[in-house]
Amino acid sequence: MSRMARTLTLEIPIAGMDCVECTQHVRQALVNLPGVESAEVFLASEKAILRLDPAQVNLAVIRQVVEGAGYSVAQKAQQEVTAVTRQGWPAFSHRVNRLIPIGFGLVIVIVVVGEWLGVFENLNHLISWPFWVAAVLVIGYPIFGNVVRAAWRRQVTSHTLMTLGVLAALVVGEWMTAVVVVLLMRAGDAIENFTAGRTRRAVRDLTALAPQTARVERDGQEMVIPVGQVQVGEMVIVRPGDKLPVDGVVHDGYATINQAAITGEAMPVEVGPGDKVFAATLASLGSLRVRATQVGADTTFGRIVKLVEEAEAHRADVQRFADRFTRYYLPVVVTVAALTLLIGRDPLAMAAVLVVACSCSIALATPIAMLASIGAAAKQGLLIKGGKYLELLAQADVLLIDKTGTVTLGQPMVTDVIALNGQNEDELLALVAAVEQYSEHPVAAAVRGAARHRHLKIVESRHFQAIPGLGVRAAVNGKTITVGNRRLIEKDEGGRMKDERLNGQLSFIVDKLESEGKTLLLVAEDDTLTGLVAVSDTLRSEAPAALSRLRQLGIRRIELLTGDHDRSAAALSAALGIDYRANLLPEDKIAIVRDYQAQGHRVIMVGDGVNDAPALAQADVGMAMGAAGTDVALEAAHVALMREDWSLVPELIQIARRTMGVVKMNLGFTAVYNVVGISLAALGIMPPVLAAAAQSLPDLGILANSSRLLKQTVKSNE
């Protein structure tokens, strides 16, 4: 069996993680297992995704390794219970979360006053040392256990430093100080847990939008079942006020649907037979019977949640810098503590240095802000696949735009049908529709729509072939029919279009249609040009204003890239006031992206995600317009706009820049705070008790600063 065949992707829930450092420990433990090819661990969604060889490693071994790292593999049943009861939890959790900072502030005040009045020193003399040592061990057992396990794996954590500080206090007889430090360490862990909980909030708010049950027809009976039991192809009943449990196609009925869970747009849409509908959207003013096409994690909403949960895997460069900084920061702190002891001969000052050094806040500074923005954006129909792309969006200075379905409405209409060689217009249009019946391109949809409007019979075609950037080809009634642009027809074997077929009156008509900005489909039957079809699209009304705003944001270069002919591209680009390149193949677009990147530019490529997926993938940030229900777009793009609105593009860039501003503030605040804190501790100005109280304050500062991003709203022109 090949290696490819042995590889399995496994997703497991991890319990007990409350900081970024925790995810690093779990990941390191997992990747060291024989048979594990890769592992990604996510704090926000509390899970790990592994690629492994099931012949070498199993779930029992994984559970043992995770537990050895100080965490646990949660039971799936527990997750399901949590999902069902989560709706009642947020309100209570929110009230408790509001009390945590207040309570912590009171503790700090008590500690400061107690230290100033000498209460701790008096208690130190009144109660014998065995009591204090026992108290330290009992209160600090969870922390000390994690430190020992980390040491066994040759890892140093922020708790390692603080534990050394506690030991130093015990060695010099500061029993009460050691107890207070341990208490504040536990309180600090509660603050980090609280901070991590706020990080998860965006994802949990998103998952809370999903329905838990579905009403289906089975054996002629209508029944309510858990949403996870719905099968593809089943008929789902949707009543007014119900959330749709599946993606599907309306079989019968009419209703008004609020699609905010998918597109972020609160304006409802009317749906009826044949229309697509999505899971987690809300029905009102009507009932529907929907044939399920995608269920569970395969629905558009399920894929959005999954991508948001896994956004941590695409970490920004600034986050990698913070991770590297943390690795070097801890040894530096140990060195400063050792020098403090050697030079000042003050064990308590050394202990204070070890206690006040807060590496967790450095690790939290970036992901807290990134995930807050990603979660807030997802609830408004903007899917960002990771902090990496937020950072690149903030740096972007070149914007490349696809034409059809992106800067135009993507709903072209057939305007002209010109038949040659004795055919009439209807015969030619029916022939083109037969060839185009399997194409996903908007122009093909326009041709099929025009044929249906004329009530033409579309015969079955065979051997369909899509030729990227050129057109399509298929066999119809035993003949090879080619439909595409000039280059495709000219490339046909034996083609002499330039010399014989496209001349005289027809050449004049072609030039006229192209000068009007229309897209031409030339039709060849075997080796004979039989006619042409002209298609015209409409410019999106909000696009010019959005492009103007992008220039104000510092996007230096904006270009239209299209496979369409030069005249059509020129007419559209003139309306937008931008440059263009026409007659491009997909590989030409990729080459243009690479050329800009080679010049040091950060490139955004905006497309519909279907026929321009390679260019989207090559760009620094590939942005798919109107990606709802489009699997290809969700996979290919780094950023997906679930609704078709150009005003979202400058909004996204502003979100990215705002997020990076918060990240830089977080990192700057943490750096200054740690330098000042370590300096005061090394000089003996800050005793260990105050150092313990102070070490969690950066977490609260980062949380307060990053929480602003959870409240971001996106303006829309729709």
Side-chain angles (χ1 to χ4, degrees), residues 493-551:
E493 185 176 351
R496 300 177 301 280
M497 191 178 73
K498 273 188 177 180
D499 300 327
E500 297 179 8
R501 297 186 224 160
L502 194 59
N503 53 34
Q505 184 66 25
L506 184 59
S507 177
F508 172 78
I509 294 172
V510 167
D511 290 342
K512 179 178 181 296
L513 293 173
E514 288 184 344
S515 68
E516 295 171 355
K518 296 178 179 179
T519 297
L520 300 188
L521 302 178
L522 281 80
V523 186
E525 184 175 316
D526 290 332
D527 194 32
T528 304
L529 183 67
T530 59
L532 60 87
V533 176
V535 178
S536 180
D537 204 349
T538 305
L539 177 67
R540 294 186 183 277
S541 60
E542 78 280 5
L547 293 176
S548 176
R549 192 169 161 211
L550 285 165
R551 292 189 191 92

Side-chain angles (χ1 to χ4, degrees), residues 63-261:
R63 179 177 282 110
Q64 183 179 0
V65 167
V66 171
E67 290 174 352
Y71 309 93
S72 61
V73 176
Q75 297 296 321
K76 187 175 182 181
Q78 291 175 332
Q79 281 197 315
E80 291 174 353
V81 171
T82 302
V84 174
T85 60
R86 185 174 290 157
Q87 292 180 351
W89 171 253
F92 171 75
S93 175
H94 180 67
R95 288 193 294 269
V96 172
N97 287 344
R98 290 182 63 182
L99 293 176
I100 288 178
I102 297 172
F104 190 69
L106 291 174
V107 169
I108 292 176
V109 171
I110 293 169
V111 168
V112 171
V113 173
E115 177 73 12
W116 178 56
L117 295 176
V119 173
F120 300 146
E121 187 175 348
N122 292 333
L123 287 173
N124 207 54
H125 295 301
L126 288 174
I127 303 175
S128 60
W129 68 267
F131 172 82
W132 297 120
V133 172
V136 167
L137 292 176
V138 171
I139 298 170
Y141 171 75
I143 294 174
F144 301 149
N146 287 335
V147 168
V148 170
R149 282 189 289 268
W152 182 257
R153 297 189 303 272
R154 298 180 181 180
Q155 294 175 343
V156 177
T157 71
S158 58
H159 281 163
T160 303
L161 300 181
M162 298 168 74
T163 300
L164 291 175
V166 171
L167 290 175
L170 290 174
V171 167
V172 298
E174 292 288 336
W175 320 114
M176 183 61 188
T177 296
V179 171
V180 173
V181 169
V182 171
L183 281 170
L184 290 172
M185 287 168 66
R186 295 299 304 276
D189 284 349
I191 291 296
E192 287 184 20
N193 230 340
F194 166 66
T195 306
R198 289 298 298 269
T199 303
R200 299 185 184 108
R201 174 180 161 185
V203 174
R204 286 177 173 169
D205 285 352
L206 193 63
T207 56
L209 297 174
Q212 301 300 318
T213 60
R215 190 180 287 108
V216 300
E217 288 183 358
R218 286 185 178 175
D219 301 323
Q221 299 290 323
E222 185 177 308
M223 60 181 66
V224 177
I225 61 174
V227 70
Q229 296 179 13
V230 181
Q231 304 294 317
V232 172
E234 278 196 297
M235 191 69 71
V236 177
I237 310 301
V238 181
R239 305 292 188 207
D242 286 353
K243 284 186 177 179
L244 275 75
V246 298
D247 283 4
V249 177
V250 177
H251 185 268
D252 55 67
Y254 294 87
T256 300
I257 302 290
N258 184 324
Q259 297 185 328

Side-chain angles (χ1 to χ4, degrees), residues 303-318:
R303 292 165 66 84
I304 290 172
V305 172
K306 184 178 179 65
L307 290 171
V308 172
E309 286 179 340
E310 297 174 8
E312 289 178 70
H314 303 284
R315 298 189 300 170
D317 288 341
V318 67

Side-chain angles (χ1 to χ4, degrees), residues 329-368:
Y329 174 75
L330 296 178
V332 168
V333 171
V334 172
T335 302
V336 172
L339 291 173
T340 299
L341 181 63
L342 290 173
I343 297 172
R345 304 293 182 180
D346 186 351
L348 286 181
M350 178 196 72
V353 169
L354 295 172
V355 170
V356 78
C358 183
S359 64
C360 282
S361 61
I362 298 170
L364 286 170
T366 300
I368 290 285

Side-chain angles (χ1 to χ4, degrees), residues 438-506:
Y438 299 115
S439 174
E440 296 181 351
H441 198 282
V443 169
V447 171
R448 295 193 297 268
R452 286 194 298 269
H453 181 71
R454 297 191 185 193
H455 305 291
L456 303 180
K457 181 181 179 181
I458 303 175
V459 301
E460 188 70 22
S461 63
R462 303 177 62 189
H463 310 304
F464 174 80
Q465 178 187 7
I467 307 165
L470 297 174
V472 294
R473 181 180 288 119
V476 181
N477 296 330
K479 295 183 178 181
T480 299
I481 309 299
T482 302
V483 179
N485 56 30
R486 295 191 189 202
R487 288 176 297 159
L488 178 59
I489 303 299
E490 290 167 1
K491 285 175 64 175
D492 282 353
E493 185 176 351
R496 300 177 301 280
M497 191 178 73
K498 273 188 177 180
D499 300 327
E500 297 179 8
R501 297 186 224 160
L502 194 59
N503 53 34
Q505 184 66 25
L506 184 59

Side-chain angles (χ1 to χ4, degrees), residues 287-305:
S287 299
L288 302 171
R289 294 173 72 237
V290 176
R291 183 74 66 184
T293 56
Q294 291 174 309
V295 299
D298 293 329
T299 64
T300 298
F301 182 78
R303 292 165 66 84
I304 290 172
V305 172

